[in-house]
Amino acid sequence: VLQAKVIHGGNYQAISNLLHTSMAAPSRAAVENGVDALVGMNCLTLRGELTVLGRAVAAIPVQPMVAKMLLAAGVLRVVKPCAVVAAFLSLKSPFLQTVGQG
């Protein structure tokens, strides 16, 4: 949702229509949940406009929550430890294994 907002602009309805016409169209509930999460993170305003924080989060190619953590880490001067946490969050759990894999 955030990347679509940065690339396409427009209001919530225009972004929703763009996402629903894509090849891997998400459900309406998924789009609404994404917008709600971004509003809660202050990346989008209640009217669906992109904030300065939202633009900064969109510039980092990770999940929005992780991007916000990295931005906060820069403010608090703890980037290295948070970068390690971000790297681990981007991987699948090493403790989960599907049957048949050794």
Side-chain angles (χ1 to χ4, degrees):
V1 174
L2 190 59
Q3 294 299 325
K5 180 70 177 171
V6 170
I7 294 169
H8 186 268
N11 60 10
Y12 169 74
Q13 189 63 36
I15 297 301
S16 182
N17 289 339
L18 173 73
L19 291 173
H20 292 307
T21 57
S22 66
M23 290 180 62
S27 67
R28 292 212 182 271
V31 173
E32 289 174 10
N33 288 340
V35 169
D36 289 344
L38 292 170
V39 168
M41 291 174 51
N42 296 320
C43 291
L44 293 177
T45 64
L46 291 175
R47 295 187 323 184
E49 297 170 357
L50 194 62
T51 64
V52 174
L53 176 63
R55 194 164 292 282
V57 165
I60 303 173
V62 294
Q63 294 176 355
M65 293 286 255
V66 176
K68 187 174 179 181
M69 177 186 70
L70 290 171
L71 290 170
V75 170
L76 299 172
R77 304 176 80 86
V78 290
V79 174
K80 287 182 182 180
C82 284
V84 171
V85 171
F88 277 112
L89 288 174
S90 69
L91 300 174
K92 291 183 180 180
S93 174
F95 303 108
L96 296 178
Q97 202 172 39
T98 57
V99 178
Q101 289 184 345

Coordinates of all heavy atoms in Angstrom, one line a residue:
V1 N 0.8 -1.2 0.0 CA 0.0 0.0 0.0 C 0.9 1.3 0.0 O 0.6 2.2 -0.7 CB -1.0 0.0 1.2 CG1 -1.7 1.3 1.3 CG2 -1.9 -1.1 1.2
L2 N 1.9 1.2 0.8 CA 2.8 2.4 0.9 C 3.5 2.7 -0.4 O 3.6 3.8 -0.8 CB 3.8 2.2 2.1 CG 4.6 3.4 2.5 CD1 3.7 4.6 2.9 CD2 5.5 3.1 3.6
Q3 N 4.1 1.6 -1.0 CA 4.8 1.8 -2.2 C 3.8 2.3 -3.3 O 4.2 3.1 -4.2 CB 5.4 0.5 -2.7 CG 6.5 0.0 -1.7 CD 7.7 1.0 -1.7 OE1 8.0 1.7 -2.6 NE2 8.3 1.2 -0.5
A4 N 2.6 1.8 -3.4 CA 1.6 2.2 -4.4 C 1.3 3.7 -4.2 O 1.1 4.4 -5.1 CB 0.4 1.4 -4.3
K5 N 1.2 4.1 -2.9 CA 0.9 5.5 -2.6 C 2.1 6.4 -3.1 O 1.8 7.5 -3.7 CB 0.7 5.7 -1.1 CG 0.4 7.1 -0.7 CD -1.0 7.5 -1.1 CE -1.3 8.9 -0.6 NZ -2.5 9.4 -1.2
V6 N 3.3 6.0 -2.9 CA 4.4 6.8 -3.3 C 4.5 6.9 -4.8 O 4.7 7.9 -5.4 CB 5.8 6.2 -2.7 CG1 7.0 6.9 -3.4 CG2 5.8 6.3 -1.2
I7 N 4.3 5.7 -5.5 CA 4.4 5.7 -6.9 C 3.2 6.4 -7.6 O 3.4 7.2 -8.5 CB 4.6 4.2 -7.4 CG1 5.9 3.7 -6.9 CG2 4.5 4.2 -9.0 CD1 6.0 2.2 -7.1
H8 N 2.1 6.0 -7.2 CA 0.9 6.5 -7.9 C 0.3 7.8 -7.3 O -0.3 8.6 -8.1 CB -0.2 5.4 -7.8 CG -1.4 5.6 -8.6 ND1 -2.5 6.3 -8.1 CD2 -1.7 5.4 -9.9 CE1 -3.5 6.4 -9.0 NE2 -3.0 5.9 -10.1
G9 N 0.4 8.0 -6.0 CA -0.2 9.1 -5.4 C -1.7 8.9 -5.3 O -2.2 7.8 -5.3
G10 N -2.5 10.0 -5.3 CA -3.9 9.9 -5.3 C -4.5 9.6 -3.9 O -3.8 9.4 -3.0
N11 N -5.8 9.4 -3.9 CA -6.5 9.2 -2.7 C -6.6 7.7 -2.4 O -6.1 6.8 -3.2 CB -7.9 9.8 -2.6 CG -8.7 9.3 -3.8 OD1 -8.4 8.3 -4.4 ND2 -9.9 9.9 -4.0
Y12 N -7.2 7.3 -1.3 CA -7.3 5.9 -0.9 C -8.0 5.1 -1.9 O -7.6 4.0 -2.2 CB -8.1 5.8 0.5 CG -8.5 4.4 0.8 CD1 -7.5 3.5 1.2 CD2 -9.8 4.0 0.7 CE1 -7.9 2.2 1.5 CE2 -10.1 2.7 1.0 CZ -9.2 1.8 1.4 OH -9.5 0.5 1.7
Q13 N -9.1 5.6 -2.5 CA -9.9 4.9 -3.5 C -9.1 4.6 -4.7 O -9.1 3.5 -5.3 CB -11.2 5.7 -3.9 CG -12.1 4.9 -4.7 CD -12.7 3.7 -4.0 OE1 -12.9 3.7 -2.8 NE2 -12.9 2.6 -4.7
A14 N -8.3 5.5 -5.2 CA -7.4 5.3 -6.4 C -6.4 4.3 -6.1 O -6.1 3.4 -7.0 CB -6.7 6.7 -6.8
I15 N -5.8 4.3 -4.9 CA -4.8 3.3 -4.6 C -5.4 1.9 -4.5 O -4.9 0.9 -4.9 CB -4.1 3.6 -3.2 CG1 -3.3 4.9 -3.4 CG2 -3.2 2.5 -2.8 CD1 -2.3 5.0 -4.4
S16 N -6.6 1.9 -3.8 CA -7.3 0.6 -3.7 C -7.7 0.0 -5.1 O -7.5 -1.2 -5.3 CB -8.6 0.8 -2.9 OG -9.3 -0.4 -2.7
N17 N -8.1 0.9 -6.0 CA -8.4 0.4 -7.4 C -7.2 -0.1 -8.1 O -7.2 -1.1 -8.8 CB -9.1 1.5 -8.2 CG -10.5 1.8 -7.7 OD1 -11.1 0.9 -7.0 ND2 -11.0 3.0 -8.0
L18 N -6.1 0.6 -7.9 CA -4.8 0.2 -8.5 C -4.4 -1.2 -8.0 O -4.0 -2.0 -8.8 CB -3.7 1.3 -8.2 CG -2.3 0.9 -8.7 CD1 -2.2 1.0 -10.2 CD2 -1.3 1.8 -8.0
L19 N -4.4 -1.4 -6.7 CA -4.0 -2.6 -6.1 C -4.9 -3.8 -6.6 O -4.5 -4.9 -6.8 CB -3.9 -2.5 -4.6 CG -2.8 -1.7 -4.1 CD1 -3.0 -1.5 -2.6 CD2 -1.5 -2.2 -4.4
H20 N -6.2 -3.5 -6.7 CA -7.2 -4.6 -7.0 C -7.2 -4.9 -8.5 O -7.7 -6.0 -8.9 CB -8.6 -4.2 -6.6 CG -8.8 -4.1 -5.1 ND1 -8.4 -5.2 -4.3 CD2 -9.2 -3.2 -4.3 CE1 -8.6 -4.8 -3.0 NE2 -9.1 -3.6 -3.0
T21 N -6.5 -4.1 -9.3 CA -6.4 -4.4 -10.7 C -5.1 -5.0 -11.1 O -4.8 -5.3 -12.2 CB -6.7 -3.2 -11.6 OG1 -5.8 -2.2 -11.3 CG2 -8.1 -2.7 -11.5
S22 N -4.2 -5.2 -10.1 CA -2.9 -5.7 -10.3 C -3.0 -7.3 -10.5 O -4.0 -7.9 -10.2 CB -1.9 -5.4 -9.2 OG -2.3 -6.0 -8.0
M23 N -1.9 -7.9 -11.0 CA -1.9 -9.3 -11.3 C -2.1 -10.1 -10.0 O -2.7 -11.1 -9.9 CB -0.6 -9.7 -12.0 CG -0.6 -9.2 -13.4 SD 0.9 -9.7 -14.3 CE 0.8 -11.4 -14.3
A24 N -1.4 -9.7 -8.9 CA -1.5 -10.4 -7.6 C -2.3 -9.5 -6.7 O -1.8 -9.0 -5.7 CB -0.1 -10.6 -7.1
A25 N -3.6 -9.3 -7.0 CA -4.5 -8.4 -6.3 C -4.7 -8.9 -4.9 O -5.2 -10.1 -4.7 CB -5.8 -8.3 -7.0
P26 N -4.5 -8.1 -3.9 CA -4.8 -8.4 -2.5 C -6.3 -8.3 -2.2 O -7.0 -7.6 -3.0 CB -4.0 -7.4 -1.7 CG -3.9 -6.2 -2.5 CD -3.8 -6.8 -4.0
S27 N -6.8 -8.9 -1.2 CA -8.2 -8.8 -0.8 C -8.4 -7.4 -0.3 O -7.5 -6.7 0.1 CB -8.6 -9.8 0.2 OG -7.9 -9.5 1.4
R28 N -9.7 -7.0 -0.3 CA -10.0 -5.6 0.2 C -9.7 -5.5 1.6 O -9.2 -4.5 2.1 CB -11.5 -5.4 -0.1 CG -11.9 -5.2 -1.5 CD -13.0 -4.2 -1.7 NE -13.3 -4.1 -3.1 CZ -12.8 -3.3 -4.0 NH1 -11.8 -2.5 -3.6 NH2 -13.1 -3.3 -5.3
A29 N -9.9 -6.6 2.4 CA -9.6 -6.6 3.8 C -8.1 -6.4 4.0 O -7.7 -5.7 5.0 CB -10.1 -7.9 4.5
A30 N -7.3 -7.0 3.2 CA -5.8 -6.9 3.3 C -5.4 -5.4 3.1 O -4.6 -4.9 3.8 CB -5.1 -7.8 2.4
V31 N -6.0 -4.8 2.1 CA -5.7 -3.4 1.8 C -6.1 -2.5 2.9 O -5.4 -1.6 3.4 CB -6.3 -2.9 0.5 CG1 -6.2 -1.4 0.2 CG2 -5.8 -3.7 -0.7
E32 N -7.3 -2.7 3.5 CA -7.8 -1.9 4.6 C -7.0 -2.1 5.8 O -6.7 -1.1 6.5 CB -9.3 -2.3 4.9 CG -10.3 -1.8 3.8 CD -11.7 -2.3 4.1 OE1 -12.0 -2.9 5.1 OE2 -12.5 -2.2 3.2
N33 N -6.5 -3.3 6.1 CA -5.7 -3.6 7.2 C -4.3 -2.9 7.1 O -3.8 -2.4 8.0 CB -5.4 -5.1 7.4 CG -6.7 -5.8 8.0 OD1 -7.6 -5.2 8.5 ND2 -6.7 -7.1 7.8
G34 N -3.8 -2.9 5.8 CA -2.5 -2.2 5.5 C -2.7 -0.7 5.7 O -1.8 -0.1 6.3
V35 N -3.7 -0.1 5.3 CA -4.0 1.3 5.4 C -4.1 1.6 6.9 O -3.5 2.6 7.4 CB -5.2 1.8 4.6 CG1 -5.6 3.2 5.0 CG2 -4.9 1.7 3.2
D36 N -4.9 0.8 7.7 CA -5.0 1.0 9.1 C -3.7 1.0 9.8 O -3.4 1.8 10.7 CB -6.0 0.0 9.7 CG -7.4 0.3 9.3 OD1 -7.7 1.4 8.8 OD2 -8.3 -0.7 9.4
A37 N -2.9 0.0 9.5 CA -1.5 -0.1 10.1 C -0.7 1.1 9.8 O 0.0 1.6 10.7 CB -0.8 -1.4 9.6
L38 N -0.7 1.6 8.5 CA 0.1 2.7 8.2 C -0.4 4.0 8.8 O 0.4 4.9 9.2 CB 0.1 2.9 6.6 CG 0.9 1.8 5.9 CD1 0.6 1.9 4.4 CD2 2.4 1.8 6.2
V39 N -1.7 4.1 9.0 CA -2.2 5.3 9.7 C -1.8 5.2 11.2 O -1.4 6.2 11.8 CB -3.8 5.3 9.6 CG1 -4.4 6.4 10.6 CG2 -4.2 5.7 8.2
G40 N -1.8 4.0 11.8 CA -1.4 3.8 13.1 C 0.1 4.1 13.3 O 0.5 4.5 14.4
M41 N 0.9 3.9 12.3 CA 2.3 4.2 12.4 C 2.6 5.6 12.0 O 3.8 6.0 12.0 CB 3.1 3.3 11.4 CG 3.1 1.8 11.7 SD 3.8 0.8 10.5 CE 5.4 1.6 10.1
N42 N 1.6 6.4 11.7 CA 1.8 7.8 11.3 C 2.5 7.9 9.9 O 3.1 8.9 9.6 CB 2.5 8.7 12.3 CG 1.7 8.8 13.6 OD1 0.5 8.9 13.5 ND2 2.3 8.7 14.7
C43 N 2.4 6.9 9.1 CA 2.9 7.0 7.7 C 1.9 7.6 6.8 O 2.3 8.2 5.7 CB 3.3 5.6 7.2 SG 4.8 5.0 8.1
L44 N 0.6 7.5 7.1 CA -0.5 8.1 6.3 C -1.3 8.9 7.3 O -1.5 8.5 8.5 CB -1.3 7.0 5.7 CG -0.7 6.2 4.6 CD1 -1.7 5.1 4.1 CD2 -0.3 7.0 3.4
T45 N -1.9 10.0 6.8 CA -2.9 10.7 7.6 C -4.2 10.0 7.6 O -4.4 9.1 6.8 CB -3.0 12.1 7.1 OG1 -3.6 12.1 5.8 CG2 -1.7 12.9 7.0
L46 N -5.1 10.5 8.4 CA -6.5 9.9 8.4 C -7.2 10.1 7.0 O -8.0 9.3 6.6 CB -7.3 10.5 9.5 CG -6.9 10.1 10.9 CD1 -7.8 10.9 11.9 CD2 -7.0 8.7 11.1
R47 N -6.8 11.1 6.3 CA -7.3 11.3 4.9 C -6.6 10.5 3.9 O -6.9 10.6 2.7 CB -7.3 12.8 4.6 CG -8.1 13.7 5.5 CD -8.2 15.1 5.1 NE -7.0 15.6 4.5 CZ -6.8 16.8 4.2 NH1 -7.7 17.7 4.3 NH2 -5.6 17.2 3.7
G48 N -5.6 9.8 4.3 CA -4.8 8.9 3.3 C -3.7 9.6 2.6 O -3.1 9.1 1.7
E49 N -3.3 10.8 3.1 CA -2.1 11.5 2.6 C -0.8 10.9 3.1 O -0.8 10.6 4.3 CB -2.2 13.0 2.8 CG -3.4 13.6 2.1 CD -3.7 15.0 2.6 OE1 -2.9 15.5 3.5 OE2 -4.6 15.6 2.1
L50 N 0.2 10.9 2.4 CA 1.5 10.4 2.8 C 2.2 11.5 3.7 O 2.2 12.7 3.3 CB 2.4 10.2 1.5 CG 3.7 9.4 1.7 CD1 3.3 8.0 2.2 CD2 4.4 9.3 0.4
T51 N 2.7 11.0 4.8 CA 3.4 11.9 5.7 C 4.9 11.9 5.4 O 5.4 11.1 4.6 CB 3.2 11.5 7.2 OG1 3.8 10.2 7.4 CG2 1.8 11.5 7.6
V52 N 5.7 12.8 6.0 CA 7.1 12.8 5.9 C 7.7 11.5 6.4 O 8.6 10.9 5.7 CB 7.7 14.0 6.7 CG1 9.3 13.9 6.6 CG2 7.2 15.3 6.1
L53 N 7.2 11.0 7.5 CA 7.6 9.7 8.0 C 7.3 8.6 7.0 O 8.1 7.7 6.7 CB 7.0 9.4 9.3 CG 7.3 8.0 9.9 CD1 8.8 7.8 10.2 CD2 6.5 7.8 11.2
G54 N 6.1 8.6 6.4 CA 5.7 7.6 5.4 C 6.7 7.6 4.2 O 7.0 6.6 3.7
R55 N 7.1 8.8 3.7 CA 8.0 8.9 2.6 C 9.4 8.3 3.0 O 10.0 7.6 2.2 CB 8.1 10.3 2.1 CG 8.8 10.4 0.8 CD 8.6 11.8 0.2 NE 7.2 12.1 -0.2 CZ 6.6 11.7 -1.3 NH1 7.3 10.9 -2.1 NH2 5.4 12.0 -1.6
A56 N 9.8 8.5 4.2 CA 11.1 8.0 4.7 C 11.0 6.5 4.8 O 11.9 5.8 4.4 CB 11.5 8.6 6.0
V57 N 9.9 6.0 5.4 CA 9.7 4.5 5.5 C 9.7 3.9 4.2 O 10.2 2.8 4.0 CB 8.4 4.3 6.3 CG1 8.0 2.8 6.2 CG2 8.6 4.6 7.8
A58 N 9.0 4.5 3.2 CA 8.9 3.9 1.9 C 10.2 3.8 1.2 O 10.4 3.0 0.3 CB 7.9 4.7 1.0
A59 N 11.2 4.6 1.5 CA 12.5 4.7 0.9 C 13.4 3.5 1.3 O 14.4 3.2 0.7 CB 13.2 6.0 1.2
I60 N 13.0 2.8 2.4 CA 13.8 1.7 2.9 C 13.1 0.4 2.5 O 12.0 0.2 2.8 CB 13.9 1.8 4.5 CG1 14.5 3.1 4.9 CG2 14.7 0.6 5.0 CD1 14.5 3.3 6.4
P61 N 13.8 -0.5 1.8 CA 13.2 -1.6 1.2 C 13.0 -2.8 2.1 O 13.5 -3.9 1.9 CB 14.1 -2.0 0.0 CG 15.5 -1.6 0.5 CD 15.2 -0.3 1.3
V62 N 12.3 -2.6 3.2 CA 11.9 -3.6 4.2 C 10.5 -3.4 4.6 O 9.8 -2.4 4.1 CB 12.8 -3.7 5.4 CG1 14.2 -4.0 5.0 CG2 12.8 -2.3 6.1
Q63 N 9.9 -4.2 5.4 CA 8.6 -4.0 5.9 C 8.5 -2.7 6.6 O 9.4 -2.3 7.3 CB 8.2 -5.2 6.8 CG 8.1 -6.5 6.1 CD 7.7 -7.6 7.1 OE1 7.7 -7.4 8.3 NE2 7.5 -8.8 6.6
P64 N 7.3 -2.0 6.5 CA 7.2 -0.7 7.1 C 7.5 -0.6 8.6 O 8.2 0.3 9.1 CB 5.7 -0.3 6.9 CG 5.4 -1.1 5.7 CD 6.1 -2.4 5.8
M65 N 7.1 -1.6 9.4 CA 7.5 -1.6 10.8 C 9.0 -1.7 11.1 O 9.5 -1.0 12.0 CB 6.8 -2.8 11.6 CG 5.3 -2.7 11.6 SD 4.8 -1.5 12.8 CE 4.2 -2.5 14.1
V66 N 9.7 -2.5 10.3 CA 11.1 -2.6 10.4 C 11.8 -1.3 9.9 O 12.7 -0.9 10.6 CB 11.6 -3.8 9.6 CG1 13.1 -3.9 9.6 CG2 11.0 -5.1 10.1
A67 N 11.3 -0.7 8.9 CA 11.8 0.6 8.4 C 11.7 1.6 9.4 O 12.6 2.4 9.7 CB 11.1 1.0 7.1
K68 N 10.5 1.7 10.1 CA 10.3 2.7 11.1 C 11.3 2.4 12.3 O 11.8 3.4 12.9 CB 8.9 2.7 11.6 CG 8.6 3.8 12.6 CD 7.1 3.9 12.9 CE 6.9 5.0 13.9 NZ 5.5 5.1 14.3
M69 N 11.5 1.2 12.6 CA 12.4 0.8 13.7 C 13.8 1.3 13.3 O 14.5 1.9 14.2 CB 12.5 -0.7 13.9 CG 13.5 -1.1 15.0 SD 13.7 -2.9 15.2 CE 14.5 -3.3 13.6
L70 N 14.3 1.1 12.1 CA 15.6 1.6 11.7 C 15.7 3.1 11.7 O 16.8 3.6 12.1 CB 15.9 1.0 10.3 CG 16.1 -0.5 10.2 CD1 16.2 -0.9 8.8 CD2 17.4 -0.9 11.0
L71 N 14.6 3.8 11.3 CA 14.7 5.2 11.4 C 14.8 5.7 12.8 O 15.5 6.6 13.1 CB 13.4 5.8 10.7 CG 13.4 5.7 9.2 CD1 12.0 6.1 8.7 CD2 14.5 6.5 8.5
A72 N 14.0 5.1 13.7 CA 14.1 5.5 15.1 C 15.5 5.1 15.7 O 16.0 5.9 16.5 CB 13.0 4.7 15.9
A73 N 16.1 4.0 15.2 CA 17.4 3.7 15.7 C 18.4 4.7 15.3 O 19.4 5.0 16.0 CB 17.8 2.3 15.1
G74 N 18.2 5.3 14.1 CA 19.1 6.4 13.7 C 19.1 7.6 14.6 O 20.1 8.2 15.0
V75 N 17.8 7.9 15.0 CA 17.6 9.0 15.9 C 18.3 8.7 17.3 O 18.9 9.6 17.9 CB 16.1 9.3 16.1 CG1 15.9 10.3 17.2 CG2 15.5 9.8 14.8
L76 N 18.1 7.5 17.8 CA 18.7 7.1 19.1 C 20.1 6.6 19.0 O 20.7 6.3 20.1 CB 17.8 6.0 19.7 CG 16.3 6.4 19.9 CD1 15.5 5.2 20.3 CD2 16.2 7.5 20.9
R77 N 20.7 6.6 17.8 CA 22.1 6.3 17.6 C 22.4 4.8 18.0 O 23.4 4.5 18.6 CB 23.0 7.2 18.3 CG 22.8 8.7 17.9 CD 23.6 9.7 18.7 NE 25.0 9.8 18.2 CZ 25.4 10.5 17.2 NH1 24.5 11.3 16.5 NH2 26.6 10.6 16.8
V78 N 21.5 3.9 17.7 CA 21.7 2.5 17.9 C 21.4 1.7 16.6 O 20.7 0.7 16.7 CB 20.8 2.0 19.1 CG1 21.3 2.6 20.4 CG2 19.3 2.4 18.9
V79 N 22.0 2.2 15.5 CA 21.7 1.6 14.2 C 22.2 0.2 14.1 O 21.5 -0.7 13.6 CB 22.2 2.5 13.1 CG1 22.0 1.8 11.8 CG2 21.5 3.8 13.1
K80 N 23.4 0.0 14.5 CA 24.0 -1.4 14.4 C 23.2 -2.5 15.0 O 22.9 -3.5 14.4 CB 25.5 -1.4 14.8 CG 26.4 -0.7 13.9 CD 27.8 -0.8 14.3 CE 28.7 0.0 13.3 NZ 30.2 0.0 13.7
P81 N 22.9 -2.3 16.3 CA 22.1 -3.4 16.9 C 20.7 -3.6 16.3 O 20.2 -4.7 16.1 CB 21.9 -3.0 18.4 CG 22.9 -2.0 18.6 CD 23.3 -1.3 17.3
C82 N 20.1 -2.5 15.9 CA 18.8 -2.6 15.2 C 18.9 -3.2 13.8 O 18.0 -3.8 13.4 CB 18.1 -1.2 15.2 SG 17.4 -0.8 16.8
A83 N 20.0 -2.9 13.2 CA 20.2 -3.5 11.8 C 20.3 -5.0 12.0 O 19.8 -5.8 11.1 CB 21.4 -2.9 11.2
V84 N 20.9 -5.5 13.0 CA 21.0 -7.0 13.3 C 19.6 -7.5 13.5 O 19.3 -8.6 12.9 CB 22.0 -7.3 14.4 CG1 21.9 -8.7 14.8 CG2 23.4 -6.9 14.1
V85 N 18.8 -6.8 14.3 CA 17.5 -7.3 14.6 C 16.6 -7.3 13.3 O 15.9 -8.2 13.0 CB 16.8 -6.4 15.6 CG1 15.3 -6.7 15.8 CG2 17.5 -6.6 17.0
A86 N 16.8 -6.2 12.5 CA 16.1 -6.1 11.2 C 16.5 -7.3 10.3 O 15.6 -7.8 9.6 CB 16.4 -4.8 10.5
A87 N 17.8 -7.6 10.3 CA 18.2 -8.7 9.4 C 17.6 -10.0 9.8 O 17.1 -10.8 9.0 CB 19.7 -8.8 9.4
F88 N 17.5 -10.3 11.2 CA 16.9 -11.5 11.6 C 15.4 -11.5 11.4 O 14.8 -12.6 11.1 CB 17.2 -11.7 13.1 CG 18.5 -12.3 13.4 CD1 19.5 -11.6 14.0 CD2 18.8 -13.6 13.1 CE1 20.7 -12.1 14.3 CE2 20.0 -14.2 13.3 CZ 21.0 -13.5 13.9
L89 N 14.7 -10.4 11.5 CA 13.3 -10.3 11.2 C 13.0 -10.6 9.7 O 11.9 -11.0 9.4 CB 12.8 -8.9 11.6 CG 12.7 -8.7 13.1 CD1 12.2 -7.2 13.3 CD2 11.7 -9.6 13.7
S90 N 13.9 -10.4 8.8 CA 13.7 -10.6 7.4 C 13.9 -12.0 7.0 O 13.5 -12.4 5.9 CB 14.6 -9.7 6.6 OG 15.9 -10.1 6.7
L91 N 14.4 -12.9 7.9 CA 14.6 -14.3 7.6 C 13.5 -15.1 8.1 O 12.8 -14.8 9.1 CB 15.9 -14.8 8.2 CG 17.2 -14.0 7.7 CD1 18.4 -14.5 8.5 CD2 17.4 -14.3 6.2
K92 N 13.3 -16.3 7.5 CA 12.4 -17.3 8.1 C 13.0 -17.9 9.4 O 14.2 -17.9 9.5 CB 12.1 -18.4 7.1 CG 11.3 -18.0 5.9 CD 11.1 -19.2 5.0 CE 10.3 -18.8 3.8 NZ 10.0 -19.9 2.9
S93 N 12.2 -18.3 10.2 CA 12.7 -18.9 11.5 C 13.5 -20.2 11.2 O 13.1 -21.1 10.5 CB 11.5 -19.3 12.4 OG 12.0 -20.0 13.5
P94 N 14.7 -20.2 11.8 CA 15.6 -21.4 11.6 C 15.0 -22.6 12.3 O 15.4 -23.8 12.1 CB 16.9 -21.0 12.1 CG 16.6 -20.0 13.1 CD 15.4 -19.2 12.6
F95 N 14.0 -22.4 13.2 CA 13.5 -23.5 14.0 C 12.3 -24.2 13.3 O 11.8 -25.2 13.7 CB 13.1 -23.0 15.4 CG 14.3 -22.4 16.1 CD1 14.3 -21.0 16.3 CD2 15.3 -23.2 16.6 CE1 15.4 -20.4 16.9 CE2 16.4 -22.6 17.2 CZ 16.5 -21.2 17.4
L96 N 11.8 -23.5 12.3 CA 10.7 -24.1 11.5 C 11.2 -24.9 10.3 O 12.0 -24.3 9.6 CB 9.7 -23.0 11.1 CG 9.0 -22.3 12.2 CD1 8.1 -21.2 11.6 CD2 8.2 -23.2 13.0
Q97 N 10.8 -26.1 10.2 CA 11.3 -26.9 9.1 C 10.1 -27.7 8.5 O 9.3 -28.3 9.3 CB 12.4 -27.8 9.6 CG 13.3 -28.3 8.5 CD 14.4 -29.1 9.2 OE1 14.2 -29.8 10.1 NE2 15.6 -28.9 8.6
T98 N 10.0 -27.8 7.2 CA 8.9 -28.6 6.6 C 9.3 -30.1 6.6 O 10.5 -30.4 6.6 CB 8.6 -28.1 5.2 OG1 9.8 -28.2 4.4 CG2 8.1 -26.7 5.2
V99 N 8.3 -30.9 6.6 CA 8.6 -32.3 6.6 C 9.3 -32.7 5.4 O 9.0 -32.3 4.3 CB 7.3 -33.1 6.7 CG1 7.5 -34.6 6.7 CG2 6.5 -32.7 8.0
G100 N 10.3 -33.5 5.5 CA 11.1 -34.0 4.4 C 12.4 -33.3 4.1 O 13.2 -33.7 3.3
Q101 N 12.6 -32.2 4.8 CA 13.8 -31.4 4.6 C 14.8 -31.8 5.7 O 14.4 -31.9 6.9 CB 13.6 -29.9 4.6 CG 12.9 -29.4 3.4 CD 12.7 -27.9 3.4 OE1 12.9 -27.3 4.4 NE2 12.4 -27.4 2.2
G102 N 16.0 -32.0 5.4 CA 17.0 -32.4 6.4 C 17.9 -31.4 6.7 O 18.7 -30.9 7.1

